[in-house]
Amino acid sequence: MPETSNRKEREKIQHRNEILDAAEEVFAEKGFHRTTVEDIASRAEFAVGTLYKFFPGKEELYQKLIEMRCVQLRDEVLAAMDKHSDPGAIIKSFIDTKIQLFKKYYSFARLYTRERLGDRFTDSDLWWKIAAPLFDEVYTRLEQVFKEGIEQGLFRDDIIPWDMTIALDNLTDGFMFQSLMFPDKLSFESKFETMVRLFFDGVSKNK
Amino acid sequence: MPETSNRKEREKIQHRNEILDAAEEVFAEKGFHRTTVEDIASRAEFAVGTLYKFFPGKEELYQKLIEMRCVQLRDEVLAAMDKHSDPGAIIKSFIDTKIQLFKKYYSFARLYTRERLGDRFTDSDLWWKIAAPLFDEVYTRLEQVFKEGIEQGLFRDDIIPWDMTIALDNLTDGFMFQSLMFPDKLSFESKFETMVRLFFDGVSKNK
Amino acid sequence: MPETSNRKEREKIQHRNEILDAAEEVFAEKGFHRTTVEDIASRAEFAVGTLYKFFPGKEELYQKLIEMRCVQLRDEVLAAMDKHSDPGAIIKSFIDTKIQLFKKYYSFARLYTRERLGDRFTDSDLWWKIAAPLFDEVYTRLEQVFKEGIEQGLFRDDIIPWDMTIALDNLTDGFMFQSLMFPDKLSFESKFETMVRLFFDGVSKNK
Amino acid sequence: MPETSNRKEREKIQHRNEILDAAEEVFAEKGFHRTTVEDIASRAEFAVGTLYKFFPGKEELYQKLIEMRCVQLRDEVLAAMDKHSDPGAIIKSFIDTKIQLFKKYYSFARLYTRERLGDRFTDSDLWWKIAAPLFDEVYTRLEQVFKEGIEQGLFRDDIIPWDMTIALDNLTDGFMFQSLMFPDKLSFESKFETMVRLFFDGVSKNK
DNA sequence: TATGAATGAGTATTCATTCAT
DNA sequence: TATGAATGAATACTCATTCAT
């Protein structure tokens, strides 16, 4: 009997994930407003009613989706950074991991870049209560890395750690945006070197 | 009689601009989808029907608004850059002008950062036919500046002009985003020096 | 110009009343839940959207309808009672007026008897905030009449005025219910005499 | 084996009654439309599917519930009346029994007063085929009692037996309604005397 | 037999757009 | 020309019912 219960439990989680995956795809393709619940349901091969067994509404489904991916991203980024101890290596690994995740969660990347500053994200609790604290963990970690780099004499001592953090994240995001919007001119991956060099040349003490 | 016609003509343009200004405010506050035509009409102190005398629909009103501001931005940015001949000075003036325009067109800045990658912007012709070509003009100009800087031996010869263009624009945008989303941690204006230094230190030949 | 404004204003009120009348008919026929907004709209010969210009929703439309009729009923019942000074005559006029109003507002009578104790009526503010205070005015008036009748030695001094009020109202309602539910066995109107006699025989001092 | 079959049979009836009891409670609390099958199932501590083993649908469950209670009420009312032979005593026992049943079947009383004239009750066969014939049995019995009272010279000979029947039932119902809707002003039970006196004073020959 | 996950038809509500005045 | 009342297509959400396990 626990066997059956486990299977059912696993199936339920599986179905929930199928719905989230379908939603991610459709939201990425059409944006939040142009996506109908019917769209998601048929993509997931469920009836609309079934979606409402798992999520109270379209809005909450969207939020859970964003939250889930943000948690994954934070976890994977921090895990990757924790494998290194040298500030330079940590930052390189941050950039590298963002690229990997961009490819791994391509639909989400599109969704995120789409909605990042849309009304869904900025106004609601989604940003302030869910995403921002997760971002903040990564930002705080990066800020710390810059501080350590300065202390260890690796980075110039006139840089402001927080500003460098913002700059680094937006630079990587910016190349991501560009590769989505000018896909012919710029492949994100190939620019790894450009970013790293630009950034380190600006930051490092002795070049 | 031409007098009358002129006054009417002027009044018409005036009304059109009032509508566009109202729309900009409301779109910036609520986003495209949550803004109703009624919202815009009452903000502009016109009847809804009147809006349809000036624009064929909500979508087109939005597009004209974006287009108008993009043209203005391009014009003002290029005009500011054209006042200088030294590559370094041109780039500094680009950054400086973005900050000025951000303040001057604050509503639009909010609207733009909001919608930049939303479905309205990316999917439709709005981006590909209207905004992208205008962006491209500025980008092409910047790329040219970097090329000249390299040729004149001011910038390192291993940088890729186009990449630097993208990096520069996204770095400034990134700080703009941040100042909107973490207004307490970061005032855009005060970061001018940070950006300039970071960028030039990474790019310049002799530091 | 005030002429035009007046006509428009009058037309608007007219349309609102047309919607309320249509709603009353359909609610009386099908009950609240089985009535769709589309039903009301097509009965009123308007589009659904138009209904929402006048009322925030189906629920509120229903409430306004009940409220309007309850106010009318109170006004007409009290006005009729105020034409008399003799307690017996006042009570006869109360009964008589209820019969008249039952015929005049037949749709509402059906609606009211239908919903009187349904969940719409009893749970919500509709009863406690809207209808009950109006009922109470009439009940208080009746109670007063019974008191005066006792004081004037017309009614037995062992009756309890409030109980008589309740009894009288429910007796008349009861015959109304019956005439709706057993239309063949009982016509409400023809029972005027029965009610009056039953009631006065039970209440009057000297028969 | 018949033992087992009997137990199973008994269990089945037990479960059916548990479902009906749960349904009665929830319907009384929320009304027919606002009650979901899920509500009933969880109140009865069964799965929804199980309910459909016992009843073809929500509507039929509701009807069976009403029917069952109406039959019980008829049986208990008629049984109580049959214990007496004197017309006055029979009528007193009718009133008294209604009070007892109102307390005994409080949930049903709430449900009945709620739905009595709602669309479920009046439109469908529920009223005309199920409840009305049962009511009619009691009404016919009461009518007969009034006839006998007249014949025996106990009641005035100018009363109409059927009208008195209707009046009596509605008077008791009316006080029931009131005690539900103005619970502070009127406790049904305490009004027994009032009702009896009012009614008998109106009906009896020599007062 | 009992379960409860899945179904999908049905409905209230919104809002861009039209057009008679 | 300007108005704003009227329109109705589009869509999120509910819940009675089914059926595979």
Side-chain angles (χ1 to χ4, degrees):
Chain A
M1 203 75 88
E3 209 53 18
T4 308
S5 170
N6 268 331
R7 185 176 50 70
K8 282 208 168 175
E9 205 54 40
R10 263 183 287 115
E11 250 182 359
K12 208 169 168 178
I13 290 168
Q14 167 68 11
H15 289 176
R16 196 188 130 102
N17 284 333
E18 279 166 24
I19 291 165
L20 283 167
D21 288 345
E24 187 173 46
E25 278 177 38
V26 190
F27 281 137
E29 282 167 21
K30 309 172 73 167
F32 181 82
H33 283 102
R34 299 222 276 227
T35 297
T36 68
V37 176
E38 175 62 37
D39 284 339
I40 301 169
S42 65
R43 179 77 59 111
E45 297 183 301
F46 283 108
V48 278
T50 307
L51 268 64
Y52 285 87
K53 297 286 181 202
F54 289 95
F55 305 95
K58 185 187 173 189
E59 186 75 40
E60 290 84 357
L61 165 54
Y62 179 81
Q63 293 197 3
K64 282 295 167 198
L65 174 60
I66 300 287
E67 182 179 3
M68 181 184 70
R69 292 290 184 234
C70 283
V71 168
Q72 285 179 318
L73 291 178
R74 178 206 56 185
D75 290 345
E76 299 199 26
V77 165
L78 289 182
M81 291 167 76
D82 283 341
K83 284 186 187 148
H84 304 268
S85 54
D86 171 59
I90 294 174
I91 285 167
K92 273 183 186 138
S93 114
F94 168 82
I95 298 171
D96 195 41
T97 308
K98 276 193 76 166
I99 296 171
Q100 306 305 328
L101 293 174
F102 177 69
K103 288 193 292 183
K104 184 173 172 187
Y105 300 118
Y106 180 71
S107 280
F108 177 71
R110 295 215 300 149
L111 173 56
Y112 168 71
T113 52
R114 250 179 194 300
E115 304 281 333
R116 190 181 159 203
L117 287 145
D119 46 325
R120 305 242 70 64
F121 222 121
T122 324
D123 290 346
S124 70
D125 290 346
L126 183 52
W127 170 254
W128 293 108
K129 295 214 174 132
I130 312 280
L134 295 166
F135 270 58
D136 219 49
E137 283 185 61
V138 177
Y139 280 9
T140 304
R141 181 84 180 82
L142 275 174
E143 191 184 16
Q144 185 58 28
V145 172
F146 282 111
K147 281 180 186 161
E148 286 168 14
I150 295 168
E151 278 165 20
Q152 293 171 25
L154 297 166
F155 298 156
R156 294 161 38 181
D157 56 10
D158 60 345
I159 63 169
I160 301 165
W162 179 260
D163 289 4
M164 289 303 105
T165 300
I166 299 305
L168 176 58
D169 195 44
N170 280 288
L171 214 47
T172 47
D173 273 2
F175 278 92
M176 260 170 63
F177 295 164
Q178 296 298 328
S179 77
L180 284 171
M181 295 178 82
F182 297 98
D184 49 323
K185 285 200 176 170
L186 193 71
S187 101
F188 184 55
E189 200 174 3
S190 72
K191 298 308 171 187
F192 176 57
E193 279 306 313
T194 299
M195 273 188 293
V196 171
R197 196 180 330 131
L198 173 68
F199 206 76
F200 280 93
D201 289 352
V203 156
S204 302
K205 202 156 191 177
N206 302 311
K207 215 162 339 143
Chain B
M1 205 69 93
E3 209 52 18
T4 309
S5 170
N6 265 334
R7 186 177 52 70
K8 284 208 169 175
E9 205 56 38
R10 265 184 286 114
E11 254 184 357
K12 205 170 170 180
I13 289 170
Q14 169 67 10
H15 289 176
R16 195 188 131 104
N17 283 333
E18 279 167 22
I19 292 166
L20 283 168
D21 288 346
E24 185 173 48
E25 279 178 37
V26 190
F27 281 138
E29 282 166 22
K30 310 172 73 167
F32 181 82
H33 282 103
R34 300 221 277 226
T35 297
T36 67
V37 176
E38 177 63 38
D39 284 339
I40 301 169
S42 65
R43 179 80 58 115
E45 297 180 304
F46 284 106
V48 277
T50 309
L51 267 63
Y52 283 85
K53 300 288 179 201
F54 289 95
F55 304 95
K58 185 189 177 189
E59 186 73 44
E60 291 82 359
L61 165 56
Y62 179 81
Q63 293 197 5
K64 283 295 168 198
L65 170 62
I66 299 288
E67 182 178 2
M68 179 185 71
R69 291 291 184 236
C70 283
V71 167
Q72 286 179 314
L73 291 177
R74 178 205 56 186
D75 290 347
E76 300 198 26
V77 166
L78 290 183
M81 291 168 76
D82 284 342
K83 284 185 187 149
H84 303 268
S85 54
D86 171 60
I90 295 175
I91 285 166
K92 272 182 187 141
S93 115
F94 168 82
I95 298 171
D96 196 42
T97 308
K98 276 193 77 166
I99 296 170
Q100 306 307 327
L101 294 175
F102 177 69
K103 288 193 291 183
K104 182 173 173 187
Y105 301 116
Y106 180 71
S107 280
F108 179 71
R110 294 216 300 148
L111 173 56
Y112 168 70
T113 51
R114 237 178 204 299
E115 305 280 330
R116 198 173 93 122
L117 288 144
D119 44 327
R120 304 242 72 64
F121 222 112
T122 326
D123 290 349
S124 68
D125 291 346
L126 184 53
W127 171 252
W128 294 109
K129 295 215 175 134
I130 314 270
L134 295 165
F135 271 58
D136 219 49
E137 282 186 61
V138 177
Y139 280 8
T140 303
R141 182 80 180 84
L142 274 174
E143 191 183 16
Q144 184 57 31
V145 172
F146 282 112
K147 281 181 185 161
E148 287 168 14
I150 295 169
E151 278 166 20
Q152 294 171 26
L154 296 166
F155 298 157
R156 293 162 40 182
D157 56 8
D158 58 347
I159 63 169
I160 301 166
W162 179 259
D163 289 2
M164 288 305 104
T165 299
I166 299 304
L168 177 59
D169 195 42
N170 279 288
L171 214 48
T172 47
D173 274 2
F175 278 90
M176 260 171 63
F177 294 164
Q178 295 297 327
S179 75
L180 283 172
M181 296 177 82
F182 297 99
D184 48 324
K185 285 200 176 171
L186 194 72
S187 98
F188 182 54
E189 201 173 3
S190 73
K191 298 307 170 188
F192 177 57
E193 279 306 313
T194 299
M195 274 189 291
V196 171
R197 197 184 327 133
L198 174 68
F199 204 77
F200 279 93
D201 288 352
V203 156
S204 302
K205 201 153 192 177
N206 303 312
K207 220 168 330 154
Chain C
M1 201 75 87
E3 210 53 19
T4 308
S5 172
N6 267 332
R7 186 176 50 68
K8 282 208 169 176
E9 205 55 39
R10 264 183 286 116
E11 250 182 0
K12 208 169 169 179
I13 290 169
Q14 168 69 10
H15 290 176
R16 196 188 131 102
N17 285 332
E18 279 167 24
I19 291 166
L20 283 168
D21 288 345
E24 187 174 47
E25 279 177 37
V26 190
F27 280 138
E29 282 167 23
K30 308 174 72 167
F32 182 83
H33 283 102
R34 299 222 275 228
T35 297
T36 67
V37 176
E38 175 62 38
D39 284 339
I40 300 169
S42 65
R43 179 78 57 112
E45 296 182 302
F46 283 108
V48 279
T50 308
L51 267 65
Y52 284 86
K53 298 286 181 200
F54 289 95
F55 304 95
K58 185 188 173 188
E59 187 75 41
E60 290 83 358
L61 166 54
Y62 179 82
Q63 293 198 4
K64 283 294 168 200
L65 174 60
I66 300 289
E67 183 179 1
M68 180 184 70
R69 291 290 184 235
C70 283
V71 167
Q72 286 180 317
L73 291 178
R74 179 205 55 186
D75 289 346
E76 300 200 23
V77 166
L78 290 182
M81 290 168 76
D82 283 342
K83 285 187 185 144
H84 303 269
S85 54
D86 171 60
I90 295 175
I91 285 166
K92 272 184 186 135
S93 114
F94 169 82
I95 297 172
D96 195 42
T97 308
K98 275 193 79 166
I99 296 170
Q100 307 306 329
L101 294 174
F102 177 68
K103 288 193 292 182
K104 183 172 173 189
Y105 299 118
Y106 180 71
S107 281
F108 177 70
R110 295 215 302 148
L111 173 56
Y112 168 70
T113 51
R114 245 177 199 301
E115 304 280 333
R116 189 181 159 205
L117 287 145
D119 46 324
R120 305 240 70 66
F121 221 117
T122 325
D123 290 347
S124 69
D125 290 346
L126 183 52
W127 171 252
W128 293 109
K129 296 216 174 127
I130 312 280
L134 295 166
F135 270 58
D136 220 47
E137 283 186 61
V138 177
Y139 280 9
T140 303
R141 182 82 180 82
L142 275 174
E143 192 184 14
Q144 185 58 30
V145 172
F146 282 111
K147 280 181 186 160
E148 288 167 14
I150 295 168
E151 279 165 20
Q152 294 172 24
L154 297 166
F155 298 156
R156 294 163 38 183
D157 56 9
D158 61 344
I159 62 169
I160 302 165
W162 179 260
D163 288 5
M164 288 305 104
T165 300
I166 300 304
L168 176 59
D169 195 42
N170 279 288
L171 214 49
T172 45
D173 273 2
F175 277 91
M176 260 170 63
F177 294 164
Q178 295 298 329
S179 76
L180 283 171
M181 296 178 83
F182 296 99
D184 47 324
K185 284 200 178 173
L186 194 70
S187 98
F188 183 55
E189 200 175 2
S190 71
K191 298 307 170 188
F192 176 57
E193 280 306 313
T194 299
M195 274 188 290
V196 171
R197 196 183 327 134
L198 172 69
F199 204 77
F200 279 93
D201 288 352
V203 156
S204 302
K205 201 155 192 178
N206 301 312
K207 215 163 340 146
Chain D
M1 207 68 91
E3 210 53 17
T4 310
S5 169
N6 265 333
R7 186 178 51 71
K8 284 208 168 173
E9 205 56 38
R10 264 184 287 116
E11 254 185 356
K12 205 169 168 180
I13 290 169
Q14 169 68 11
H15 289 176
R16 196 188 130 103
N17 283 333
E18 280 167 22
I19 291 166
L20 283 168
D21 288 346
E24 185 174 46
E25 279 177 38
V26 190
F27 281 138
E29 282 166 21
K30 309 171 73 167
F32 181 82
H33 281 103
R34 300 220 277 226
T35 296
T36 68
V37 175
E38 177 63 38
D39 283 339
I40 301 169
S42 66
R43 178 79 59 115
E45 296 181 306
F46 283 106
V48 278
T50 309
L51 267 63
Y52 283 85
K53 300 287 180 202
F54 288 95
F55 304 95
K58 185 189 176 188
E59 187 73 44
E60 290 82 0
L61 165 55
Y62 179 82
Q63 293 196 3
K64 284 294 168 197
L65 171 61
I66 300 287
E67 182 179 2
M68 180 184 70
R69 291 291 185 236
C70 283
V71 167
Q72 286 180 315
L73 291 176
R74 179 206 55 186
D75 290 347
E76 300 198 26
V77 166
L78 289 183
M81 290 168 77
D82 283 342
K83 283 185 188 149
H84 303 268
S85 54
D86 171 60
I90 295 174
I91 285 167
K92 272 183 186 137
S93 117
F94 168 82
I95 297 171
D96 196 41
T97 308
K98 276 192 77 166
I99 296 170
Q100 306 306 327
L101 294 174
F102 178 68
K103 288 194 291 184
K104 183 173 173 187
Y105 300 117
Y106 181 71
S107 280
F108 179 72
R110 293 217 301 149
L111 173 57
Y112 168 70
T113 51
R114 240 179 199 301
E115 304 281 329
R116 199 172 92 121
L117 288 145
D119 44 327
R120 304 241 72 62
F121 222 112
T122 325
D123 289 348
S124 70
D125 292 346
L126 184 53
W127 172 253
W128 294 109
K129 295 215 175 132
I130 314 274
L134 295 165
F135 270 58
D136 219 47
E137 282 186 60
V138 178
Y139 280 9
T140 303
R141 182 83 180 82
L142 275 174
E143 191 183 15
Q144 184 57 29
V145 172
F146 282 111
K147 280 181 186 160
E148 287 168 15
I150 296 168
E151 280 164 19
Q152 293 171 24
L154 297 166
F155 298 156
R156 292 161 41 181
D157 56 8
D158 60 345
I159 63 170
I160 301 165
W162 178 259
D163 289 2
M164 289 305 104
T165 299
I166 299 305
L168 176 59
D169 196 43
N170 279 289
L171 213 47
T172 46
D173 274 2
F175 276 91
M176 261 172 61
F177 294 164
Q178 295 297 328
S179 77
L180 283 171
M181 296 177 83
F182 297 99
D184 47 324
K185 284 203 178 169
L186 194 70
S187 98
F188 182 54
E189 202 173 1
S190 71
K191 298 308 171 187
F192 176 57
E193 278 307 312
T194 299
M195 274 189 293
V196 171
R197 195 182 331 132
L198 174 68
F199 205 77
F200 280 93
D201 288 351
V203 154
S204 302
K205 200 155 193 177
N206 302 313
K207 215 166 337 149

